Amino acid sequence: MKSPALAALFAVVAAGSLQAGSVDDGRSVQTAPTSESIFDRIWGIPKLYRNDHNPVIEEFDIIGRLHEDYFDLESNRGSTSFLETRRFRLGVDAFFVDRHVEVEAEVDTALRTDHSPSIFYNRLSNLWVRIEGSEAFGIRFGKFQPHFGYDRAFSNNYMKTFERGVFDDQLVGSTDYLSGTEVSGKVGNFGYLAAIFSTNLNKELGRFDGGQAYLAEINYDFSKDWQAEKALWVIDYLHADGKNANTNVFKNYRHAFATYLDLEKGRFSMVPQFAYGDQVTGKGDVYSFQIMPGCKLTEKLELLVRYQLAVASESNGITTLNRQQKTVGAFTGDTYNACYVGLNYYVYGQKLKLMFGEEYARLGGGTGPSAGYHGWTTLVGLRLFF
């Protein structure tokens, strides 16, 4: 394993004298900068226009993200290591009519190293319009990410781990941007969301002939009651209907349920989640539990641990492993355990961070030659967005 060398590399970089003003991104507690830093000036360059006094268009920005990953995997099914440009996306974001209307468009590239042919245009990831009449009601339509469970609660720019959880892999997989319409809002401490998506997907908007998926969410904000920076309890439900030969999204699930608490208070954070999925005939049910405690060791350095457990009612009911594990094959089983330990160093808040992670995963049970997997994965990465 290359783990000690990679861990040492991360420690040296994280402990370096990178000094920057912090960014308040609304997802983690950061100290406000006392003056504009070099990072503030650099990240201000893509903001091409802003005038809150203009009643027609208030802001126009270039947006993008660059995610670089290196991983080293050793398992009973083989070993592999790889350096890749995990995500490189470019687009625009604009606000109109006193910020009641937002339009976003983003193109996803596929610039890889050794993993697949490199192409600039891979797909249209985001293309949507959101109209917000008030805090209590807003509507969005176009192509965007379904908001199901903690792993889909926000953009991958803000993820504290390299990969989403096993239940999300089972349910959503790589089909992370779908065409549809959603309404959402907040009334007092209560929030809600309801959406309908097409279950036929291609690189653009899809053909809308593969059936539908319906998503509903209700949440409650406890942050004031608990005197916490964040304390949000969420319940999500998903139903996929109308499956046919053109269905290529949520095709293995009929019903899915997830509930989680997203808590941040002082230096500490905690996210427990329970999820359940009713799969199509022959695949049985899947039950999942994950818990992720975290602690800010310093203003910029965060330690976190995530444990995952998934159990299927059928012997081969769990069939999907994460991105790195798939490089040595696809395997099946009925019980999945994984433990991840990570360090995140926030150079410029969430907008520029370094990540290190180590994960052990075991998939047990199952029948046939593809049954079972266990292995270690070491990951080092950079996350940048603007």
Side-chain angles (χ1 to χ4, degrees):
M1 283 283 287
K2 298 183 177 66
S3 303
L6 292 174
L9 173 64
F10 180 88
V12 169
V13 175
S17 58
L18 293 168
Q19 299 297 323
S22 300
V23 174
D24 181 6
D25 50 47
R27 300 192 179 275
S28 59
V29 180
Q30 307 285 344
T31 303
T34 56
S35 62
E36 187 178 58
S37 70
I38 182 63
F39 291 105
D40 294 326
R41 294 193 291 270
I42 293 172
W43 261 258
I45 294 173
K47 296 185 180 298
L48 302 183
Y49 176 82
R50 178 165 183 172
N51 181 359
D52 290 332
H53 299 292
N54 187 332
V56 179
I57 176 170
E58 287 74 46
E59 186 171 345
F60 185 87
D61 303 327
I62 302 295
I63 59 173
R65 69 191 74 183
L66 174 65
H67 296 176
E68 294 286 338
D69 282 0
Y70 171 81
F71 73 85
D72 180 88
L73 181 145
E74 294 188 6
S75 75
N76 66 319
R77 296 291 189 165
S79 302
T80 184
S81 61
F82 185 62
L83 173 67
E84 69 172 338
T85 300
R86 175 65 185 275
R87 302 178 185 93
F88 178 47
R89 300 175 185 171
L90 290 171
V92 295
D93 188 30
F95 294 85
F96 303 87
V97 196
D98 292 329
R99 296 187 176 270
H100 288 296
V101 178
E102 182 181 4
V103 179
E104 183 173 307
E106 189 177 45
V107 169
D108 181 36
T109 70
L111 303 179
R112 307 285 188 250
T113 304
D114 265 353
H115 186 59
S116 62
S118 292
I119 56 175
F120 183 79
Y121 176 73
N122 180 44
R123 61 172 176 166
L124 190 66
S125 53
N126 278 311
L127 179 62
W128 50 262
V129 177
R130 176 172 171 82
I131 302 171
E132 186 171 308
S134 65
E135 185 181 54
F137 180 81
I139 183 169
R140 177 165 64 160
F141 52 90
K143 189 178 186 183
F144 49 89
Q145 180 172 265
H147 193 287
F148 181 88
Y150 175 75
D151 290 317
R152 298 285 168 178
F154 41 81
S155 161
N156 50 46
N157 287 321
Y158 298 95
M159 284 172 54
K160 294 184 176 183
T161 58
F162 282 83
E163 302 299 329
R164 296 180 169 97
V166 61
F167 189 82
D168 186 84
D169 283 338
Q170 287 281 109
L171 177 66
V172 181
S174 60
T175 55
D176 51 352
Y177 292 90
L178 310 179
S179 296
T181 300
E182 71 174 17
V183 295
S184 62
K186 184 177 181 180
V187 180
N189 289 343
F190 283 96
Y192 72 90
L193 180 146
I196 179 172
F197 295 98
S198 168
T199 55
N200 174 267
L201 179 71
N202 61 21
K203 291 187 175 184
E204 283 73 43
L205 296 176
R207 295 178 302 188
F208 302 95
D209 57 359
Q212 301 82 39
Y214 305 90
L215 175 64
E217 175 181 302
I218 186 169
N219 59 69
Y220 188 85
D221 186 354
F222 289 95
S223 59
K224 290 184 179 179
D225 297 333
W226 293 2
Q227 297 181 334
E229 288 76 25
K230 191 177 198 179
L232 189 68
W233 179 41
V234 179
I235 300 175
D236 288 325
Y237 170 73
L238 175 74
H239 172 64
D241 197 9
K243 294 179 175 61
N244 58 47
N246 297 318
T247 303
N248 59 10
V249 178
F250 303 133
K251 60 183 180 181
N252 291 327
Y253 278 79
R254 292 173 298 206
H255 305 278
F257 165 87
T259 183
Y260 66 91
L261 174 67
D262 188 359
L263 176 64
E264 294 182 8
K265 186 170 184 178
R267 296 189 297 117
F268 299 98
S269 64
M270 178 70 74
V271 182
Q273 174 177 277
F274 172 78
Y276 162 79
D278 171 24
Q279 301 189 97
V280 296
T281 303
K283 289 184 174 290
D285 301 331
V286 174
Y287 301 85
S288 169
F289 171 75
Q290 73 174 36
I291 187 166
M292 188 171 71
C295 176
K296 278 297 201 63
L297 303 178
T298 70
E299 181 185 353
K300 293 180 178 294
L301 185 63
E302 182 177 30
L303 169 69
L304 60 98
V305 178
R306 180 180 68 181
Y307 170 71
Q308 299 181 80
L309 170 66
V311 179
S313 62
E314 298 291 336
S315 61
N316 293 315
I318 298 174
T319 58
T320 302
L321 298 173
N322 71 23
R323 182 182 182 87
Q324 293 79 32
Q325 294 158 5
K326 285 180 181 177
T327 61
V328 293
F331 310 104
T332 62
D334 58 26
T335 305
Y336 181 86
N337 283 273
C339 185
Y340 173 98
V341 179
L343 284 171
N344 296 335
Y345 185 77
Y346 299 95
V347 181
Y348 184 55
Q350 294 280 7
K351 294 187 177 183
L352 178 60
K353 65 185 175 185
L354 304 174
M355 301 178 69
F356 170 79
E358 186 77 32
E359 184 170 53
Y360 176 76
R362 174 181 288 273
L363 178 61
T367 58
S370 296
Y373 166 93
H374 61 85
W376 290 87
T377 307
T378 303
L379 304 107
V380 179
L382 175 146
R383 297 291 182 267
L384 179 156
F385 75 93
F386 53 88

